[in-house]
């Protein structure tokens, strides 16, 4: 066979390696020497293993020979034993002697046992007394003695089985009463001391189990042993009962669980003694300390709750799950203590002190929670009802107390002082929150979480009621109150919004329980009401500022003096506002100052428009001059608000470019209407006025152009053009404009018309009672209804008791 290319390469490489390693003879000799040494070692090892195998085979062969010899010897012994038995069977007296020998040995053994029983019993009794830890050993020994006693009694009485198999001439004990009685007389004392020992063991078990509170701490192993012995006794009794015949079961009572019931009865007595002893001790101690009976009863009942918790954590684990030690204690506790506790809340709870109410509520609630957590049945049914009644009484009293304290704060003379940043405040928020925090702290200390939240919500409700009263007072008397006081209301409301949220610092907001959600919703509502109050009070502050502008705006604008330009009433208005704003920018935070500037801007423009629309229909002396004066006033307002207060207007929401100018465009439209030669020349302005004033736009336009002294034909032209523009504008002007108070087109009584005919027609009319600037002049030009409402409001305001922060009349 020809070699492949790979074999040739491998041989070539092997040849190269050999030539490289063994270039000289000395290298080859060393390799040969090492190879010979290795071969010798391998040969020696193989020979040693072969010798060991040979020895093992020899040992196995020798063992097999020995075993065969032993088997032969045993077979010979078996043959000899069989022959011996056969020979002995021929002699009856030898068999009798053997039986007698065995009986004698058994009798001697029993006599020895009988003689040792008293000493054994005494030794076990001493061990039970001196070493309680040996309870299990003593029980097991006692159990052996009880077994001996039961078997011996059964043997003495004789059984039907023994009688049936007795040999001729033999007589059982049942057929020899004299022998039976004689044996019982001799062994009766032995039987009695065994029974006494058994009873002593049971008494010890009962004693240890009834001492479960102490043993679970001092020696829990002993308690466990006692419980184990009790269960062993029960198992033994059950076993005995199950071994009885059906007839005996029918005629004898079932005592298989009698011992456990005895232990339970003893435990109940022990628990009763413990509960009553603690109650008496608490009553005596409370009397010495001067405490009330309620405190003493609650203290004693609380110790019972502590016992239940201790039983759960330390004692119950020493008993099997089937032994309801917690339930046993609860039944005894409620049997004795619940009537004592019920007597506290069954009386007239209005006579209870507030602290006692809290103690009762807290204890009843915690007891129900504990019973639910221990899995020992349902809580008492009447406890929940009692908790609701007591909580209702507590919340009512705490609420009245809080309201009385709030009333004292509202009646006092609260001083308005600047804070470090200049904002005007009073001490009312701090004082009110001190009252609330005191009520909340009491609730947190003495009420569980679920009921604590109700107390906190009650405080939030009282704060909401106080805030509502404050709001009503501000709405009634803002126009007779100094602006400084109204600014204090703004700042106090804003500060209260921050402070009241701290009441819920300890509340888990993520908890999904219903009472938590109600509490959070109540707090959100309260905070929102404070913010709304601060914003609305800012509006009232602006309205109060505008009271100082009645003279230059409501009395003088659109009068002959205004038309002639001898007095620049718009500049007077802006100068007055500037003076106010310099103070208000310090008295109010930036946020609310911006809102006040916006409110003053809106009210200034509204007042200007309302004054024009409230002017009696008497022509201007010079329409062009009146029109120009409106434009001049517009520029004055624009320069004032846009130059110095554009940032505040933007912060209040007027952020769009040109939005302020767009608001002032109504004055531009009024100016054009006043001087327009013909309605067709100002149709864009007519449409703009219709879109601005909505459903009353037509009346507003005709009123303004009527100030020019138009003829009937000219007025008809205006009416026609306006009606045409209304058709073009369509539904876009079909809305009611609420920005202005414009009741002047309403039907007037004859008396009012006569009063208007006698007036000089210079715009000294006022507004209806809903106008925030009140009535100006002696006659209300808007009808008897408005006048009657104003008088009614004034009469109602006189009889209202307001808080001190509004007690200072406006200067």
């Amino acid at each position: 066979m020809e070699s492949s290319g790979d074999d040739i390469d491998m041989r070539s490489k092997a040849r190269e390696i050999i030539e490289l390693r063994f270039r000289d003879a000395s290298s080859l000799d060393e390799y040969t020497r090492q190879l010979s040494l290795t071969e010798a070692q391998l040969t020696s090892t193989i020979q040693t293993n072969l010798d060991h195998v040979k020895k093992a085979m020899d040992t196995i062969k020798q063992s097999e020979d020995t075993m065969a010899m032993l088997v032969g010897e045993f077979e010979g012994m078996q043959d000899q034993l069989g022959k011996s038995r056969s020979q002995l069977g021929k002699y009856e007296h030898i068999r009798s002697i053997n039986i007698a020998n065995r009986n004698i040995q058994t009798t001697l053994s029993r006599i020895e046992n009988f003689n040792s029983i008293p000493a054994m019993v005494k030794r076990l009794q001493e061990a039970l007394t001196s070493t309680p830890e040996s309870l299990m050993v003593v029980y097991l020994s006692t159990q052996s003695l009880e077994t001996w006693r039961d078997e011996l009694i059964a043997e003495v009485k004789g059984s039907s089985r023994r009688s049936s198999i007795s040999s001729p001439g033999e007589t059982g004990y049942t057929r020899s009463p004299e022998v039976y009685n004689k044996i019982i007389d001799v062994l009766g004392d032995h039987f009695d001391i065994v029974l006494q020992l058994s009873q002593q063991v049971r008494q010890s078990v009962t004693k240890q189990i009834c001492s479960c509170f102490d043993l679970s701490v001092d020696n829990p192993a002993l308690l466990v042993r006692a419980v184990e012995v009790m269960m062993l006794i029960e198992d033994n009794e059950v076993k005995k009962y199950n071994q009885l015949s059906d007839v005996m079961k029918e005629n004898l009572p079932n005592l298989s669980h009698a011992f456990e019931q005895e232990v339970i009865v003893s435990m109940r007595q022990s628990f009763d003694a413990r509960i009553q002893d603690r109650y008496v001790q608490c009553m005596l101690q409370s009397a010495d300390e001067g405490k009330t009976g309620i405190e003493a009863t609650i203290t004693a009942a609380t110790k019972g709750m502590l016992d239940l918790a201790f039983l759960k954590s330390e004692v119950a684990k020493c008993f099997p799950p089937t032994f309801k030690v917690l339930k046993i204690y609860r039944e005894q506790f409620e049997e004795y203590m619940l009537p004592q506790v019920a007597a506290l809340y069954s009386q007239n709870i209005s006579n209870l002190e507030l602290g006692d109410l809290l103690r009762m509520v807290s204890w009843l609630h915690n007891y129900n929670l504990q019973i639910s957590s221990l899995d020992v049945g349902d809580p008492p049914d009447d406890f929940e009802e009692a908790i609701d009644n007591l909580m209702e009484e507590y919340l009512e009293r705490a609420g009245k107390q809080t309201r009385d304290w709030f009333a004292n704060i509202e009646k006092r003379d609260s001083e308005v002082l600047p804070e470090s940043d200049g904002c005007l405040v009073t001490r009312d928020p701090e004082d009110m929150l001190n009252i609330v925090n005191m009520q909340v702290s009491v609730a947190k200390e003495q009420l569980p979480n679920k009921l604590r939240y109700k107390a906190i919500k009650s405080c939030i409700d009282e704060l909401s009621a106080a805030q509502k009263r404050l709001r009503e007072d501000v709405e009634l008397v803002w126009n007779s109150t100094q602006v400084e006081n109204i600014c204090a209301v703004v700042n106090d409301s804003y500060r209260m919004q921050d402070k009241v949220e701290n009441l819920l610092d300890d509340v888990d907001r993520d908890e999904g329980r219903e009472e938590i959600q109600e509490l959070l919703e109540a707090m959100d509502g309260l905070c929102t009401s404070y913010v709304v109050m601060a914003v609305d009070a800012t509006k009232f502050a602006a309205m109060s500022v505008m009271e100082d502008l009645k003279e230059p705006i409501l009395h003088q604008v659109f009068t002959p003096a205004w038309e002639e330009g001898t007095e620049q009433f718009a500049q007077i208005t802006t100068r007055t506002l500037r003076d106010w704003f310099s103070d208000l920018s310090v008295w109010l935070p930036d946020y609310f100052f911006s809102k006040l500037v916006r409110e003053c801007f809106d009210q200034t423009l509204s007042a200007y428009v309302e004054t024009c629309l409230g002017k009696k229909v008497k022509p201007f002396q010079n329409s062009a001059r009146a029109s120009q004066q409106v434009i001049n006033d517009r520029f004055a307002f624009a320069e004032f608000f846009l130059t110095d207060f554009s940032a505040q207007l933007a912060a209040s929401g007027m952020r769009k470019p040109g939005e302020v100018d767009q608001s002032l465009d109504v004055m531009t439209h009024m100016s054009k209407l006043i001087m327009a030669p013909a309605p067709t020349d100002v149709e864009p302005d007519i449409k703009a006025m219709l879109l601005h004033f909505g459903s009353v736009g037509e009346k507003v336009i005709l009123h303004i152009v009527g100030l020019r002294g138009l003829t009937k034909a000219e007025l008809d032209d205006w009416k026609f053009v306006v009606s045409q523009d209304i058709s073009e504008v369509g539904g876009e002007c079909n809305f009611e404009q609420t920005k202005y108070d414009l009741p002047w087109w309403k039907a007037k009584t004859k008396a009012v018309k006569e009063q208007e005919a006698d007036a000089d027609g210079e715009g000294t009319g006022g507004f209806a009672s809903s106008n925030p600037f009140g009535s100006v002049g002696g006659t209300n030009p808007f009808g008897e209804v408005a006048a009657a409402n104003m008088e009614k409001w004034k009469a109602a305001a006189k009889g209202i008791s307001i808080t001190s922060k509004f007690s200072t009349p406006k200067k």
Side-chain angles (χ1 to χ4, degrees), residues 401-416:
Q401 191 178 62
T402 302
R403 288 192 295 274
D404 291 342
W405 288 337
F406 282 180
N408 293 334
I409 294 175
E410 294 167 358
K411 292 176 183 177
R412 74 185 182 186
D413 186 10
S414 297
E415 186 178 5
V416 177

Side-chain angles (χ1 to χ4, degrees), residues 471-741:
R471 181 184 184 85
E472 292 173 351
D473 291 340
V474 174
E475 290 176 348
L476 287 175
V477 297
W478 64 267
N479 59 347
S480 61
T481 304
Q482 292 188 21
V483 177
E484 292 90 333
N485 295 73
I486 302 179
C487 290
V489 174
V490 175
N491 296 325
D492 287 350
S493 298
Y494 184 64
R495 291 191 303 135
M496 283 291 284
Q497 183 266 336
D498 284 336
K499 293 177 180 293
V500 294
E501 289 188 334
N502 296 331
L503 296 174
L504 304 186
D505 286 346
D506 298 336
V507 175
D508 185 2
R509 296 174 180 265
D510 296 331
E511 206 171 337
R513 294 189 305 182
E514 181 179 355
E515 58 267 20
I516 299 294
Q517 297 305 315
E518 291 180 358
L519 183 62
L520 294 177
E521 291 174 4
M523 177 57 74
D524 290 343
L526 178 61
C527 292
T528 300
S529 67
Y530 278 125
V531 173
V532 172
M533 179 68 223
V535 173
D536 289 349
T538 303
K539 180 178 180 180
F540 289 126
M543 292 162 59
S544 183
V545 168
M546 294 301 297
E547 287 285 303
D548 287 345
L549 304 179
K550 283 182 179 180
E551 186 67 25
I553 292 180
L554 300 182
H555 286 190
Q556 301 299 330
V557 176
F558 297 104
T559 62
W562 168 82
E563 183 181 342
E564 293 171 0
T566 56
E567 293 287 350
Q568 298 298 322
F569 298 110
Q571 284 78 0
I572 296 174
T573 299
T574 56
R575 285 199 301 270
T576 304
L577 288 174
R578 189 182 303 277
D579 292 341
W580 273 112
F581 288 175
S582 64
D583 291 332
L584 289 165
S585 63
V586 178
W587 295 346
L588 293 173
D590 293 340
Y591 173 80
F592 293 103
F593 176 65
S594 298
K595 287 193 171 294
L596 182 136
V597 171
R598 168 67 180 274
E599 191 66 31
C600 287
F601 171 78
D602 291 340
Q603 291 191 22
T604 299
L605 182 59
S606 297
Y608 191 93
V609 173
E610 289 169 357
T611 303
C612 175
L613 300 180
K615 177 180 174 60
K616 303 300 181 292
V617 183
K618 183 177 181 180
F620 291 119
Q621 297 177 2
N622 187 321
S623 298
R625 187 169 55 192
S627 174
Q628 183 60 45
Q629 193 61 43
V630 173
I631 293 298
N632 294 340
D633 293 345
R634 182 198 186 283
F635 288 153
F637 292 152
E639 181 180 8
F640 172 71
F641 283 104
L642 287 175
T643 302
D644 298 329
F645 300 100
S646 59
Q648 284 75 20
L649 291 175
S652 66
M654 302 185 74
R655 300 183 180 86
K656 297 179 181 178
E659 188 172 357
V660 177
D661 283 326
Q662 290 176 3
S663 298
L664 294 172
D665 282 346
V666 65
M667 296 176 65
T668 303
H669 300 319
M670 290 169 59
S671 172
K672 291 182 179 181
L673 290 176
I674 291 174
M675 66 173 296
T680 54
D681 296 335
V682 290
E683 280 197 82
D685 298 283
I686 293 174
K687 293 178 180 179
M689 292 291 280
L690 290 173
L691 294 174
H692 183 77
F693 285 94
S695 58
V696 298
E698 180 181 8
K699 295 180 180 180
V700 169
I701 294 171
L702 296 178
H703 177 83
I704 293 174
V705 299
L707 297 177
R708 297 170 48 189
L710 301 176
T711 63
K712 185 177 183 305
E714 293 173 332
L715 185 59
D716 290 340
D717 291 340
W718 276 92
K719 290 181 179 180
F720 176 77
V721 173
V722 171
S723 63
Q724 290 297 112
D725 290 339
I726 290 175
S727 299
E728 293 182 15
V729 174
E732 294 184 46
C733 65
N734 188 21
F735 68 93
E736 183 178 355
Q737 175 63 270
T738 59
K739 183 177 180 180
Y740 307 101
D741 185 23

Side-chain angles (χ1 to χ4, degrees), residues 127-138:
L128 192 61
T129 303
S130 61
T131 313
E133 290 79 5
S134 63
L135 177 61
M136 178 61 75
V137 176
V138 173

Side-chain angles (χ1 to χ4, degrees), residues 38-49:
T38 302
E39 289 177 348
Q41 290 176 346
L42 289 173
T43 302
S44 175
T45 301
I46 292 171
Q47 186 61 42
T48 302
N49 289 336

Side-chain angles (χ1 to χ4, degrees), residues 302-317:
T302 302
K303 290 185 176 181
M305 292 175 62
L306 295 176
D307 279 350
L308 277 170
F310 184 80
L311 285 169
K312 173 70 173 179
S313 62
E314 303 298 332
V315 178
K317 58 188 178 184

